[in-house]
Amino acid sequence: MSEALIKHFATKLIAWHGKDGRQGLPWQSIRDPYAVWVSEIMLQQTQVATVLERYPRFMKRFPTVKKLATAPLDDVLAEWAGLGYYTRARNLHACAKQVMEEFGGEFPKDPVLLEQLKGIGRSTAGAIAAFAFHERAPILDANVKRILARLFGVDGAIQEKAVNDELWLLAKTLLPKKAPDMPVYTQALMDFGATWCTSRKPICLSGERKCPFAKECQANLTNQILVLPRKVIKEKSPEFNCDMLLLRHGDSVLLQRRSEKAIWGGLWSLPESIWRAKEKSSPATDNAVNLTAKELFKLVLPNEVISSTSKNYYSIERGLDIKHVFTHRRLWMQIWHVSSGSAVKFASKDLKWVPLRQLGQYGLPQPIKLLLQGLSLTRGDDLRN
DNA sequence: AAGCCGGGGAG
DNA sequence: CTCCCAGGCTT
């Protein structure tokens, strides 16, 4: 039965980690709760290689929870730009304020209290409690779900509440008895899932190494390694078109702050039309798109007209067609280059002329950042002609 | 329970 | 291309 496995799991896993776990990741040696917290949030749904680049930068810019709490949100978003899931950055900022105001600047060690903070769910609370405070709190991220579903043959879709509850109970049951083992145990779980018990090419199927749980793993014994954890299939993500205005005057480009509720929430981007269900490309629809671009122009600059004859003239021409893939959507962005003879002033604080060389100070969506970087490289081209 | 939110790497 | 991920929040 699995009784023996339950009893010895933590010990065996820690032994595995000593030999084959990942070593030397910068956040592994850290016990400062603030630093642990930042690493846990940044690592959510984000690749280790990416975090290796961005984590030291973030910590250098915001070395303490107080520095983060008192920084302008725009600075935090700018530092977060390119990492995705920007709600994390806004919650990070809000959580820092919470810690300053409600907890006197010190993170609580109780996972139940941690979970009350913005952006910290049950699993992240467990990770922070384990790493920073040696609390016997379980985690249940995608790695752990996969490991447990395979080892104990947990069938049924993991997004079902009953299955999820079962996995949480397992995670809690398997915790090491000694609190001081919590950091290495928690790290071992993540490492084992990330490097050995992987989703597509687990070590037990490649045959290169011998899994320490091979003789006890239910999925292995019943030849269901690639079937578990089971999940419901999601349908193909819908496709959209939209138009974007690349409005330039001299070395500056017009940026618009995005709504916090929208995708890329709170970031600075180009003025953008509504998203339309993707139409087939044809000369006729090309004209329709052009109309949308002109309406968009009218929305941004209600008192101006696109004309090459007036004194402060505007010209419009079709630019790049950029495809961008989200988790649940695919978007084709049609860029429209508009050049103007003068820099119109805007009353709205969400519209702003920004010199190309200052773009680094703004949080931009990744595809827009790349587009504007390309623009900077070819700076000197006169788009007005 | 299902939808929403990014980005990059693996296969 | 598709699938995956150190999830959490909203509906």
Side-chain angles (χ1 to χ4, degrees), chain A residues 247-249 297 301 304-316 338-344 382-385:
Chain A
L247 192 50
R248 290 187 67 181
H249 175 258
F297 178 89
L301 294 169
E304 311 293 327
V305 288
I306 296 178
S307 158
S308 57
T309 54
S310 80
K311 188 178 168 192
N312 294 332
Y313 63 87
Y314 296 84
S315 66
I316 186 166
V338 180
S339 52
S340 72
S342 67
V344 179
D382 192 348
L383 295 181
R384 280 173 293 181
N385 294 326

Side-chain angles (χ1 to χ4, degrees), chain A residues 16-35:
Chain A
W16 169 87
H17 183 262
K19 194 159 163 278
D20 293 310
R22 290 181 294 194
Q23 314 288 342
L25 296 176
W27 47 87
Q28 287 178 340
S29 54
I30 288 170
R31 292 293 173 262
D32 170 25
Y34 170 70

Side-chain angles (χ1 to χ4, degrees), chain A residues 151-162:
Chain A
L151 275 185
F152 296 92
V154 176
D155 210 340
I158 53 174
Q159 48 270 74
E160 287 173 24
K161 178 168 164 39

Side-chain angles (χ1 to χ4, degrees), chain A residues 199-269:
Chain A
S199 183
R200 309 260 209 124
K201 226 172 76 174
I203 217 88
C204 57
L205 294 184
S206 74
E208 292 169 20
R209 315 265 213 126
K210 193 173 175 330
C211 173
F213 306 109
K215 292 195 169 113
E216 304 153 297
C217 175
Q218 288 303 310
N220 186 42
L221 296 175
T222 60
N223 197 23
Q224 291 203 96
I225 289 290
L226 294 183
V227 179
L228 300 181
R230 209 178 287 278
K231 51 200 85 167
V232 296
I233 348 95
K234 49 190 178 233
E235 56 187 276
K236 211 172 133 189
S237 54
E239 304 179 315
F240 294 90
N241 287 104
C242 81
D243 295 288
M244 290 185 158
L245 281 190
L246 181 38
L247 192 50
R248 290 187 67 181
H249 175 258
D251 256 4
S252 291
V253 57
L254 183 68
L255 295 187
Q256 182 167 35
R257 192 207 305 268
R258 301 178 62 83
S259 152
E260 291 208 345
K261 306 243 173 177
I263 205 162
W264 292 316
L267 269 60
W268 290 84
S269 186

